[in-house]
Structures are given as structure tokens and as C-alpha cells.
Amino acid sequence: MTSYLPPAQRIWWKVPVGRQEIVWIAIALVWCLIMFFMMPYWHVYGKQNLSTEAYKTTPAQFGPKVQAMIDQYTVRHETEQQIPVVAPPAGSDIYMLGRLWQWWPILELEKGKTYRLHLSSMDWQHGFSLQPVNINMQVVPGYEMVLNITPDVAGEYGVVCNEYCGIGHHTMLGRIYVKE
Amino acid sequence: MGNFRLCPDSGLFFDKNAESLMKVNAVAAAVSLLVAGLLALGVALTRWPAVHLLPADQFYMYLTAHGVDALLFWIIFFEIAVLYFASSTLLRCRLAAPRWAWLGFALMVIGAITTNVAIFQGNSSVMMTSYVPMQAAPSFYLGLILFAVGALIGCFVFFGTLVIAKNENTYEGSIPLVTFGAMTAAIIAVFTIASGAIILVPTYLWSIGYIAHIDPSMYRIIWWAMGHSSQQINVVAHVSIWYLVGGLLLGARPMSEKVSRFAFLLYILFLQLASAHHILVDPGISAEWKIFNTSYAMYLAVLASLIHGLTVPGSMEVAQREKGYNRGMFEWLRKAPWGNPTFSSVAISIVIFGFIGGITGVVMGTEQINLIIHNTIYVPAHFHATVAVGTTLTFMGLTYLLIPVLFRRQMILPTLAKWQPYLFGAGMTILILFMMGAGTLGVSRRHWDMDFTGAALSFEYSGMAYTMMGIAGIGAVLAVIAGGAFLLITVGSLLVGKKLDASAGLLQSFGVPLAPEAYNAEPEILPMAAAVEEHGSAGFEAPGTFILAMLLLVSFVVYYFINWKYLSSVWPLS
């Protein structure tokens, strides 16, 4: 009786299963159910859940919203490219757009305050990878994702693009400041 | 008849058409693996920060081709050979529609070449996933479509052979477990290829300007119904081969036909939901959809893998104990044929697939935990554990077995072959563990330069991340060397290995049948396995395996909750 011959019993589905398999299947099933219910549990009791709020958008709709925030709340410019550093009020809607090959603009947030972060791409797909916290999100053109973020540690954070977006992908780097 | 050859060493009957097709598919697989391995070296030596070998454009081109050649062409060519083996050879049945099978093979070869040419022309460095709206040359998509159509024909030749075997009564009772597993793989393959057609055909039409727009979010969901499901074909194929090798080398029989087949059935029902694993941090997907799909309903496909995790080594333990290796918990394991490269390949594959590939896959496929892992280099770490060790090493082990049996050549360099699986397993394990570490520290996948040279702003990864990427590079080089050793042994054996059949010449290594007089066998009906007295079924037949399985479960539980703990430390999000 081997694995590459027809089963020894014609009616193999009526052969009783050994105790060892039954015990293992029971243990494994319990573990599978625990893992399954951990996800809804975390939606209720955990603090890190991805929002499902999202809107269809276009670069022509999203771009002006980002620009309006920049016009209103820019506090200074950084680097030779004069990238605006924007410090919107706590609790407000804040925007970051991905495009070849930039995260735009730089945001300056207050520690412990919650913001509604809007993300979208102006061209190809990008990956919003906040480092070194290591929060990663897919940024898809045509979709505006809105999430509530609460930076809880002050510091300077990098926004790496971690979805391949062409030859300049490795230069696509943004920044978020979190002030005390 | 005059169409069958009896292999005197293994007792297997080979249909003339099936034999040639298995050979050409295996050779095409080996060529794909060679290309994939060379490209892997370029990729690994670029991601090793201290070496940083290739310029960016070549890096992305190599990485695209490495993904396509390793994940699609090497594995699927080999799987078609496995399907023909599991149907025609195991069931002692003539292959259905051999002309169609050759057409399928031709389409696969043309498709593989077309896509590779498109990539190396330089305008299709879009990664294997080719996420729209980034666009490749039309021939990139066309090649993939042709390849998929060819593979689909192969699946239907397999189904046709099962029907012929049933109608012509070539076997008693039900099909063997290994064939049942292969059938599971073929069913999942049909779903996979259908999903691929649904997304790649419109994408091809878009690339030639016939369709104006492909929604990128829809593309991701449907593309991954192909992309992830194709990896599930691999899981099912290599689990089937684990059962086959247990049976061939150790005389192992399934602990329970019912349990093992039920586990395969769970794969058919639930594995395809895994497209969701790639969509967990995408915009606008509901939490309910993610939870249901990412968990394969309620982890029912994971349950299937956990079942095989017990029953595959368990059946080996039972067989070894029957041979008298009965002392203590693990004598059966110590006395296993560790010097046989087929066995050691499978054993390493089981351990790494289960302990690393399986556990990391479930952890990063958890809805919320994916936030701290998505698109980091932890992701390729996971799928190198599943595909490069789980599937590829298993296929390598089976190839060692097939050289004398199918190709009728004696294997050259047996000592090197004895060490090859260990070297490959060790190199890959180093690569995997350190990519996991670097991914946890945030290092991105598919990224040419972790120094961000030329960026307007700056960000520095920790020194530890650099160290880990360097050690991962060393592991990758070891694995490529071991892959080279595998190809040296196998291709060398086909070219210069001692002939086990006088007519097994050079052409015969590449698909031409042996001399006509070799096909003189008329197989008798494949008998049912001999019934053996059930013993110890009231107790635990395979206690050693049960301990190992519990060890797997404990590692799983600990690692799972460590990741929740890590998730709880990042910025609150809602």
C-alpha cells in the first residue's frame, strides 16, 4: 500500500481515521479559528486598523486639493528643490501625493494629534512606506485613500516608495516631521 | 500495443509519447532555471549593499526576467511533466491527444521566448506583476498569454488521460493519492489560467491601443487571482511529490487516504481566495472581504497544509517503524536515507516550507499585520521559502530520481549530488532569514538603492538593515552555486552519464524516443495497494512526527503573536 498505487480498500472513504490524525486536525482547526477571530477582535480592540474610506478620483481633482493645503499652511521650504513643508492644524484633512518620483509635500504634524491623511497617485502605482515606523500602504492612481493617523512618537520620518515605479524609483523619498 | 517501456529499475511503465513530452518539458524547465539562476545572481549582488553590481535599468530588467523565468517558466514546464507522469505513468495509461500535448508545449516555448525577448529588449521592465498603468511592450503580455494557453492544453491532456485510464480500466479502484494531488493541481491551474486570461488579454489589447483604460485596482485583484493561485498550484504539486517520494523511497503509504484527499479537497475549495493577500493595504476594500478571503474562509486551506504537515512525515515514520527503526521517538528519522539527494531535498523542503514559508505566509496575510510587511523585502523572503525551497528543491529532488528512470542515464557526480540539497537549503535559508530581518526593519523589495542616491531628501536605514542585506547576499550566492551544481549534475548526466539503455543517446535525452524494441511492454492493470494489517490505530502510529508537528504549532503561535505585539507598537491608525 503506497501513495502511488490505488488505495488498498475500494471503499477507502469508509476506513476509520486514526486517533492521531483526529487529534491533530482538532488542534489545527482550533488554531485556525483563533487566527480567524483575531482579525475582527483587532478591529474592535486594536489600535492599528486600515480605514476602508476611499474615493474615486483623478489627478485633476486630487492635485488642486493638495495645492490648496500647501497654499494655506506652508511654513517653510526645504532643499534646493524648495519642497514646501506644510503644517496643517491638528485634526484637519492632510494630503500627500505620489508622482514620478516624489512624495509631495513634506508634512509637519503634532505628536498625539489625529489627522485625516489623503493619499493618491498622479501617475503610476506607488507604495507609501513610512520609515522607520514601517507602516506600508498601496497607493493606486484613480483612488483617494483616507486614513486617520495618530503619530505617537516625535521625530523625522522618511516616506520610501516601495512599489516599483520605474527607473527613478529609488529617488522617490518623502518626509514627515512629528513635533512634540 | 508496443507503446510502453518497462523501466527495469523502478517497475514504472512509460508511454512513448508521454515519455518524450516529459523529457522535453523537463529540459525546458532546466533551461528556464538556468536563466533564472543567472539573473538571480545579478539581482542578489545588486541588493548586497557593499557590492551593488548592476546599474538601475539592468537591475529592474534582470529582476523582471528572474521573476518570470523562475516563478512561471521553470515551475510550470516542470509541472506539466509532473502532470503527465502522475497520469500516464502512474496509471499505466497512454497519454491523451499527444499531438495537442506537443502543440501545448510548442506554445509554451514560443511564449516563454517571446516574453524573455520583450524583457531583454529593455522596454518591459515592469516586474512580473506588470501593474497597470505602467506599460510593457505588447509582446511581453502576448508571450505570457501564449504560454498560459499552452499550459492549459497540458492540463486538459492530463484530464483526458484520466478519462482514458478510467474508460480503458488501466487501474483498479480509485486513482492513487499522488494522481489525486496532481488532479487538484490541474483544477487549480484551470482557475488560475482563466483568471490570467481575464486580465492579461485586456491588458494586451490596452498595450496595442485597442482599449483605453484598465482600472489599476481591478487589475490587482484579478491579476493576483492568477499570480497567487499559480503559487498554490506549486504547493499542491510539491505536496503530491512529497507523497510520491515517501512512497518510492521508503514504501510509505498514506496514513489515511480519506484525510489526505480531504486536505487536497480543501485546497480546491479555498486556496484561490488568496488573491486577497496582495490587496490588504489597498484603498477602498472592505474589511469583511479582506478577512474572509485572506484567511481562505476560516484558514481552511491552512488547515489542509497543517494536515499534510502531519501526514506526509507521519507516513514516512510509519513506514520506517515497520522496517524496524522503532527505538525511541526519532530513530526512524535518524535512519532515513539522508545521503540520497531525492530524500534530503524533500526533507529540507518540508521543514523550510512548513516552518518558514507557511508561518510567514499566514502571518503576513493577516489583515492588520500586513500593514507592517506589505512590499518590504520580507515578502520575497516568504515566497523564497515556499517556492524556492518548497517547490524548487522538491522538483530538484524528483529530477535526481528521474535521471535514471526517465532518461535512462546514470547520474554523474554522485558525491556533489549528495551535498547539493544541503547547500541549496542552507544558502536559501540564510537568504530568507536575513531578508525577513531586513524587511522587519523596513527595507523595501524591488528597490535598486537603499541609500536613495540622487533623491532630494534623505533617509538612512539602520546599520543592522545593511548588515542583514549583506548576509542575505551571501546566502543568495550560496544558493546560486548550489543551483549551478544541480544543473551541472543533471545536464551533465543527460549528456555524458552512463547509458542505462543502449539506445539512450544524445537525442534521446532531448525527447526522441529510445529504440523501437525498448517499447515492448504491455502493462497489466494497475493493482490496488496490498492491504496491510492496521496496527496501533488506537494509539499514535507516528509519535515522533506528532512531536515535530507540535513544535511547528508552538513556533507558529509564538511567532504569530510576536507580530501582533510588533503591530501594536506602530502609530495608531483607523
mmCIF file of all heavy atoms in Angstrom, chain B residues 472-513:
data_model
loop_
_atom_site.group_PDB
_atom_site.id
_atom_site.type_symbol
_atom_site.label_atom_id
_atom_site.label_comp_id
_atom_site.label_asym_id
_atom_site.label_seq_id
_atom_site.Cartn_x
_atom_site.Cartn_y
_atom_site.Cartn_z
ATOM 1 N N ALA B 472 22.253 38.327 3.554
ATOM 2 C CA ALA B 472 21.293 37.736 2.607
ATOM 3 C C ALA B 472 21.968 37.529 1.258
ATOM 4 O O ALA B 472 21.758 36.505 0.593
ATOM 5 C CB ALA B 472 20.068 38.638 2.463
ATOM 6 N N GLY B 473 22.808 38.481 0.865
ATOM 7 C CA GLY B 473 23.531 38.359 -0.408
ATOM 8 C C GLY B 473 24.430 37.137 -0.414
ATOM 9 O O GLY B 473 24.504 36.397 -1.417
ATOM 10 N N ILE B 474 25.101 36.898 0.725
ATOM 11 C CA ILE B 474 25.968 35.713 0.814
ATOM 12 C C ILE B 474 25.125 34.442 0.656
ATOM 13 O O ILE B 474 25.487 33.519 -0.082
ATOM 14 C CB ILE B 474 26.720 35.710 2.166
ATOM 15 C CG1 ILE B 474 27.666 36.904 2.222
ATOM 16 C CG2 ILE B 474 27.495 34.391 2.352
ATOM 17 C CD1 ILE B 474 28.290 37.132 3.588
ATOM 18 N N GLY B 475 23.980 34.421 1.331
ATOM 19 C CA GLY B 475 23.083 33.257 1.214
ATOM 20 C C GLY B 475 22.659 33.040 -0.225
ATOM 21 O O GLY B 475 22.644 31.913 -0.727
ATOM 22 N N ALA B 476 22.334 34.146 -0.907
ATOM 23 C CA ALA B 476 21.882 34.034 -2.298
ATOM 24 C C ALA B 476 22.988 33.461 -3.175
ATOM 25 O O ALA B 476 22.733 32.608 -4.040
ATOM 26 C CB ALA B 476 21.445 35.401 -2.821
ATOM 27 N N VAL B 477 24.228 33.904 -2.951
ATOM 28 C CA VAL B 477 25.337 33.395 -3.766
ATOM 29 C C VAL B 477 25.501 31.890 -3.541
ATOM 30 O O VAL B 477 25.669 31.120 -4.491
ATOM 31 C CB VAL B 477 26.635 34.164 -3.443
ATOM 32 C CG1 VAL B 477 27.832 33.504 -4.123
ATOM 33 C CG2 VAL B 477 26.507 35.620 -3.889
ATOM 34 N N LEU B 478 25.409 31.464 -2.272
ATOM 35 C CA LEU B 478 25.498 30.022 -1.984
ATOM 36 C C LEU B 478 24.395 29.258 -2.722
ATOM 37 O O LEU B 478 24.645 28.207 -3.318
ATOM 38 C CB LEU B 478 25.358 29.766 -0.480
ATOM 39 C CG LEU B 478 26.536 30.150 0.409
ATOM 40 C CD1 LEU B 478 26.193 29.855 1.866
ATOM 41 C CD2 LEU B 478 27.784 29.383 -0.005
ATOM 42 N N ALA B 479 23.190 29.807 -2.675
ATOM 43 C CA ALA B 479 22.070 29.118 -3.321
ATOM 44 C C ALA B 479 22.272 29.047 -4.832
ATOM 45 O O ALA B 479 21.946 28.036 -5.460
ATOM 46 C CB ALA B 479 20.753 29.824 -2.988
ATOM 47 N N VAL B 480 22.808 30.118 -5.419
ATOM 48 C CA VAL B 480 23.041 30.104 -6.871
ATOM 49 C C VAL B 480 24.115 29.066 -7.210
ATOM 50 O O VAL B 480 23.990 28.323 -8.195
ATOM 51 C CB VAL B 480 23.444 31.508 -7.381
ATOM 52 C CG1 VAL B 480 23.937 31.429 -8.818
ATOM 53 C CG2 VAL B 480 22.262 32.467 -7.280
ATOM 54 N N ILE B 481 25.154 28.980 -6.372
ATOM 55 C CA ILE B 481 26.188 27.960 -6.602
ATOM 56 C C ILE B 481 25.547 26.563 -6.550
ATOM 57 O O ILE B 481 25.796 25.710 -7.408
ATOM 58 C CB ILE B 481 27.317 28.088 -5.558
ATOM 59 C CG1 ILE B 481 28.104 29.389 -5.802
ATOM 60 C CG2 ILE B 481 28.254 26.874 -5.617
ATOM 61 C CD1 ILE B 481 29.098 29.720 -4.700
ATOM 62 N N ALA B 482 24.699 26.359 -5.557
ATOM 63 C CA ALA B 482 24.053 25.051 -5.431
ATOM 64 C C ALA B 482 23.118 24.788 -6.610
ATOM 65 O O ALA B 482 23.013 23.657 -7.091
ATOM 66 C CB ALA B 482 23.280 24.966 -4.117
ATOM 67 N N GLY B 483 22.455 25.828 -7.077
ATOM 68 C CA GLY B 483 21.598 25.681 -8.259
ATOM 69 C C GLY B 483 22.436 25.318 -9.478
ATOM 70 O O GLY B 483 22.052 24.471 -10.293
ATOM 71 N N GLY B 484 23.616 25.949 -9.582
ATOM 72 C CA GLY B 484 24.537 25.616 -10.667
ATOM 73 C C GLY B 484 24.980 24.160 -10.578
ATOM 74 O O GLY B 484 25.067 23.455 -11.593
ATOM 75 N N ALA B 485 25.239 23.703 -9.339
ATOM 76 C CA ALA B 485 25.647 22.301 -9.154
ATOM 77 C C ALA B 485 24.538 21.366 -9.614
ATOM 78 O O ALA B 485 24.799 20.349 -10.275
ATOM 79 C CB ALA B 485 25.980 22.049 -7.688
ATOM 80 N N PHE B 486 23.289 21.736 -9.302
ATOM 81 C CA PHE B 486 22.160 20.912 -9.741
ATOM 82 C C PHE B 486 22.124 20.800 -11.259
ATOM 83 O O PHE B 486 21.974 19.709 -11.829
ATOM 84 C CB PHE B 486 20.850 21.523 -9.227
ATOM 85 C CG PHE B 486 19.620 20.960 -9.885
ATOM 86 C CD1 PHE B 486 19.127 19.719 -9.524
ATOM 87 C CD2 PHE B 486 18.949 21.671 -10.881
ATOM 88 C CE1 PHE B 486 17.998 19.186 -10.145
ATOM 89 C CE2 PHE B 486 17.826 21.160 -11.499
ATOM 90 C CZ PHE B 486 17.350 19.913 -11.125
ATOM 91 N N LEU B 487 22.296 21.939 -11.935
ATOM 92 C CA LEU B 487 22.231 21.914 -13.396
ATOM 93 C C LEU B 487 23.425 21.178 -13.985
ATOM 94 O O LEU B 487 23.292 20.451 -14.973
ATOM 95 C CB LEU B 487 22.153 23.343 -13.941
ATOM 96 C CG LEU B 487 20.797 24.007 -13.707
ATOM 97 C CD1 LEU B 487 20.867 25.499 -13.993
ATOM 98 C CD2 LEU B 487 19.713 23.360 -14.560
ATOM 99 N N LEU B 488 24.591 21.341 -13.354
ATOM 100 C CA LEU B 488 25.779 20.630 -13.818
ATOM 101 C C LEU B 488 25.544 19.122 -13.754
ATOM 102 O O LEU B 488 25.819 18.383 -14.709
ATOM 103 C CB LEU B 488 26.975 21.021 -12.952
ATOM 104 C CG LEU B 488 28.285 20.298 -13.242
ATOM 105 C CD1 LEU B 488 28.847 20.729 -14.590
ATOM 106 C CD2 LEU B 488 29.315 20.551 -12.141
ATOM 107 N N ILE B 489 24.997 18.677 -12.616
ATOM 108 C CA ILE B 489 24.770 17.237 -12.438
ATOM 109 C C ILE B 489 23.720 16.726 -13.421
ATOM 110 O O ILE B 489 23.918 15.714 -14.096
ATOM 111 C CB ILE B 489 24.316 16.943 -10.988
ATOM 112 C CG1 ILE B 489 25.423 17.308 -10.015
ATOM 113 C CG2 ILE B 489 23.901 15.486 -10.837
ATOM 114 C CD1 ILE B 489 24.943 17.475 -8.593
ATOM 115 N N THR B 490 22.604 17.438 -13.508
ATOM 116 C CA THR B 490 21.506 16.907 -14.322
ATOM 117 C C THR B 490 21.824 16.998 -15.819
ATOM 118 O O THR B 490 21.708 16.017 -16.545
ATOM 119 C CB THR B 490 20.194 17.644 -14.031
ATOM 120 O OG1 THR B 490 20.430 19.044 -14.104
ATOM 121 C CG2 THR B 490 19.679 17.320 -12.653
ATOM 122 N N VAL B 491 22.259 18.178 -16.251
ATOM 123 C CA VAL B 491 22.553 18.312 -17.684
ATOM 124 C C VAL B 491 23.743 17.441 -18.036
ATOM 125 O O VAL B 491 23.743 16.746 -19.067
ATOM 126 C CB VAL B 491 22.798 19.800 -18.047
ATOM 127 C CG1 VAL B 491 23.174 19.919 -19.517
ATOM 128 C CG2 VAL B 491 21.561 20.630 -17.753
ATOM 129 N N GLY B 492 24.742 17.413 -17.166
ATOM 130 C CA GLY B 492 25.910 16.543 -17.395
ATOM 131 C C GLY B 492 25.493 15.086 -17.526
ATOM 132 O O GLY B 492 25.988 14.359 -18.396
ATOM 133 N N SER B 493 24.567 14.658 -16.676
ATOM 134 C CA SER B 493 24.118 13.256 -16.746
ATOM 135 C C SER B 493 23.426 12.976 -18.064
ATOM 136 O O SER B 493 23.607 11.912 -18.666
ATOM 137 C CB SER B 493 23.157 12.945 -15.594
ATOM 138 O OG SER B 493 23.784 13.202 -14.358
ATOM 139 N N LEU B 494 22.628 13.931 -18.533
ATOM 140 C CA LEU B 494 21.924 13.729 -19.803
ATOM 141 C C LEU B 494 22.900 13.662 -20.970
ATOM 142 O O LEU B 494 22.657 12.991 -21.971
ATOM 143 C CB LEU B 494 20.929 14.861 -20.066
ATOM 144 C CG LEU B 494 19.778 15.051 -19.091
ATOM 145 C CD1 LEU B 494 18.688 15.887 -19.723
ATOM 146 C CD2 LEU B 494 19.198 13.732 -18.642
ATOM 147 N N LEU B 495 24.015 14.398 -20.831
ATOM 148 C CA LEU B 495 24.949 14.447 -21.955
ATOM 149 C C LEU B 495 25.966 13.311 -21.898
ATOM 150 O O LEU B 495 26.223 12.650 -22.896
ATOM 151 C CB LEU B 495 25.681 15.798 -21.970
ATOM 152 C CG LEU B 495 24.799 17.026 -22.191
ATOM 153 C CD1 LEU B 495 25.629 18.296 -22.116
ATOM 154 C CD2 LEU B 495 24.073 16.950 -23.526
ATOM 155 N N VAL B 496 26.561 13.092 -20.742
ATOM 156 C CA VAL B 496 27.675 12.144 -20.675
ATOM 157 C C VAL B 496 27.478 11.041 -19.637
ATOM 158 O O VAL B 496 28.370 10.223 -19.441
ATOM 159 C CB VAL B 496 29.021 12.875 -20.388
ATOM 160 C CG1 VAL B 496 29.317 13.874 -21.488
ATOM 161 C CG2 VAL B 496 28.997 13.568 -19.027
ATOM 162 N N GLY B 497 26.330 11.013 -18.951
ATOM 163 C CA GLY B 497 26.105 9.949 -17.965
ATOM 164 C C GLY B 497 26.072 8.588 -18.638
ATOM 165 O O GLY B 497 25.722 8.463 -19.821
ATOM 166 N N LYS B 498 26.460 7.550 -17.891
ATOM 167 C CA LYS B 498 26.482 6.196 -18.459
ATOM 168 C C LYS B 498 25.083 5.803 -18.934
ATOM 169 O O LYS B 498 24.094 6.006 -18.225
ATOM 170 C CB LYS B 498 26.958 5.224 -17.376
ATOM 171 C CG LYS B 498 27.200 3.834 -17.905
ATOM 172 C CD LYS B 498 27.666 2.912 -16.775
ATOM 173 C CE LYS B 498 27.353 1.470 -17.122
ATOM 174 N NZ LYS B 498 26.993 0.681 -15.957
ATOM 175 N N LYS B 499 25.013 5.242 -20.141
ATOM 176 C CA LYS B 499 23.703 4.870 -20.692
ATOM 177 C C LYS B 499 23.178 3.625 -19.994
ATOM 178 O O LYS B 499 23.865 2.609 -19.926
ATOM 179 C CB LYS B 499 23.830 4.591 -22.189
ATOM 180 C CG LYS B 499 24.168 5.826 -23.002
ATOM 181 C CD LYS B 499 24.379 5.445 -24.455
ATOM 182 C CE LYS B 499 24.863 6.665 -25.226
ATOM 183 N NZ LYS B 499 25.176 6.355 -26.619
ATOM 184 N N LEU B 500 21.969 3.686 -19.471
ATOM 185 C CA LEU B 500 21.361 2.524 -18.836
ATOM 186 C C LEU B 500 20.543 1.736 -19.854
ATOM 187 O O LEU B 500 20.078 0.644 -19.580
ATOM 188 C CB LEU B 500 20.481 2.959 -17.670
ATOM 189 C CG LEU B 500 21.240 3.673 -16.542
ATOM 190 C CD1 LEU B 500 20.276 4.193 -15.499
ATOM 191 C CD2 LEU B 500 22.266 2.756 -15.906
ATOM 192 N N ASP B 501 20.339 2.340 -21.024
ATOM 193 C CA ASP B 501 19.720 1.635 -22.137
ATOM 194 C C ASP B 501 20.608 1.936 -23.336
ATOM 195 O O ASP B 501 20.998 3.094 -23.544
ATOM 196 C CB ASP B 501 18.294 2.162 -22.370
ATOM 197 C CG ASP B 501 17.579 1.382 -23.469
ATOM 198 O OD1 ASP B 501 17.999 1.498 -24.650
ATOM 199 O OD2 ASP B 501 16.624 0.671 -23.140
ATOM 200 N N ALA B 502 20.908 0.896 -24.083
ATOM 201 C CA ALA B 502 21.895 1.069 -25.159
ATOM 202 C C ALA B 502 21.515 2.197 -26.106
ATOM 203 O O ALA B 502 22.367 2.884 -26.649
ATOM 204 C CB ALA B 502 22.035 -0.241 -25.931
ATOM 205 N N SER B 503 20.201 2.429 -26.282
ATOM 206 C CA SER B 503 19.795 3.437 -27.266
ATOM 207 C C SER B 503 19.581 4.821 -26.654
ATOM 208 O O SER B 503 19.095 5.719 -27.321
ATOM 209 C CB SER B 503 18.514 2.977 -27.968
ATOM 210 O OG SER B 503 17.475 2.882 -27.026
ATOM 211 N N ALA B 504 19.934 5.002 -25.377
ATOM 212 C CA ALA B 504 19.711 6.300 -24.716
ATOM 213 C C ALA B 504 20.810 7.281 -25.090
ATOM 214 O O ALA B 504 21.698 7.590 -24.296
ATOM 215 C CB ALA B 504 19.634 6.117 -23.208
ATOM 216 N N GLY B 505 20.772 7.772 -26.315
ATOM 217 C CA GLY B 505 21.819 8.670 -26.788
ATOM 218 C C GLY B 505 21.498 10.127 -26.517
ATOM 219 O O GLY B 505 20.606 10.457 -25.728
ATOM 220 N N LEU B 506 22.255 10.979 -27.219
ATOM 221 C CA LEU B 506 22.110 12.420 -27.008
ATOM 222 C C LEU B 506 20.701 12.888 -27.368
ATOM 223 O O LEU B 506 20.057 13.605 -26.612
ATOM 224 C CB LEU B 506 23.145 13.140 -27.880
ATOM 225 C CG LEU B 506 23.311 14.630 -27.612
ATOM 226 C CD1 LEU B 506 23.839 14.865 -26.218
ATOM 227 C CD2 LEU B 506 24.251 15.233 -28.637
ATOM 228 N N LEU B 507 20.221 12.450 -28.522
ATOM 229 C CA LEU B 507 18.886 12.884 -28.949
ATOM 230 C C LEU B 507 17.819 12.382 -27.981
ATOM 231 O O LEU B 507 16.828 13.069 -27.719
ATOM 232 C CB LEU B 507 18.590 12.359 -30.360
ATOM 233 C CG LEU B 507 19.450 12.955 -31.476
ATOM 234 C CD1 LEU B 507 19.137 12.278 -32.803
ATOM 235 C CD2 LEU B 507 19.196 14.461 -31.575
ATOM 236 N N GLN B 508 18.059 11.173 -27.430
ATOM 237 C CA GLN B 508 17.066 10.605 -26.513
ATOM 238 C C GLN B 508 16.967 11.415 -25.220
ATOM 239 O O GLN B 508 15.951 11.392 -24.536
ATOM 240 C CB GLN B 508 17.414 9.147 -26.192
ATOM 241 C CG GLN B 508 17.017 8.164 -27.286
ATOM 242 C CD GLN B 508 17.760 8.384 -28.589
ATOM 243 O OE1 GLN B 508 18.922 8.765 -28.613
ATOM 244 N NE2 GLN B 508 17.084 8.145 -29.708
ATOM 245 N N SER B 509 18.054 12.128 -24.885
ATOM 246 C CA SER B 509 17.992 12.981 -23.702
ATOM 247 C C SER B 509 17.082 14.181 -23.932
ATOM 248 O O SER B 509 16.659 14.841 -22.998
ATOM 249 C CB SER B 509 19.388 13.481 -23.337
ATOM 250 O OG SER B 509 20.130 12.426 -22.776
ATOM 251 N N PHE B 510 16.847 14.495 -25.207
ATOM 252 C CA PHE B 510 16.069 15.691 -25.509
ATOM 253 C C PHE B 510 14.745 15.360 -26.184
ATOM 254 O O PHE B 510 14.219 16.143 -26.957
ATOM 255 C CB PHE B 510 16.906 16.654 -26.349
ATOM 256 C CG PHE B 510 18.101 17.155 -25.587
ATOM 257 C CD1 PHE B 510 19.319 16.502 -25.669
ATOM 258 C CD2 PHE B 510 17.972 18.234 -24.728
ATOM 259 C CE1 PHE B 510 20.404 16.943 -24.922
ATOM 260 C CE2 PHE B 510 19.057 18.675 -23.988
ATOM 261 C CZ PHE B 510 20.282 18.026 -24.080
ATOM 262 N N GLY B 511 14.213 14.171 -25.908
ATOM 263 C CA GLY B 511 12.842 13.899 -26.289
ATOM 264 C C GLY B 511 12.622 12.867 -27.363
ATOM 265 O O GLY B 511 11.500 12.409 -27.554
ATOM 266 N N VAL B 512 13.675 12.488 -28.098
ATOM 267 C CA VAL B 512 13.482 11.451 -29.114
ATOM 268 C C VAL B 512 13.303 10.107 -28.395
ATOM 269 O O VAL B 512 14.019 9.832 -27.439
ATOM 270 C CB VAL B 512 14.690 11.408 -30.073
ATOM 271 C CG1 VAL B 512 14.567 10.256 -31.060
ATOM 272 C CG2 VAL B 512 14.806 12.737 -30.816
ATOM 273 N N PRO B 513 12.348 9.280 -28.831
ATOM 274 C CA PRO B 513 12.151 8.000 -28.137
ATOM 275 C C PRO B 513 13.379 7.096 -28.248
ATOM 276 O O PRO B 513 14.231 7.269 -29.123
ATOM 277 C CB PRO B 513 10.961 7.382 -28.875
ATOM 278 C CG PRO B 513 10.302 8.495 -29.598
ATOM 279 C CD PRO B 513 11.363 9.503 -29.885
#
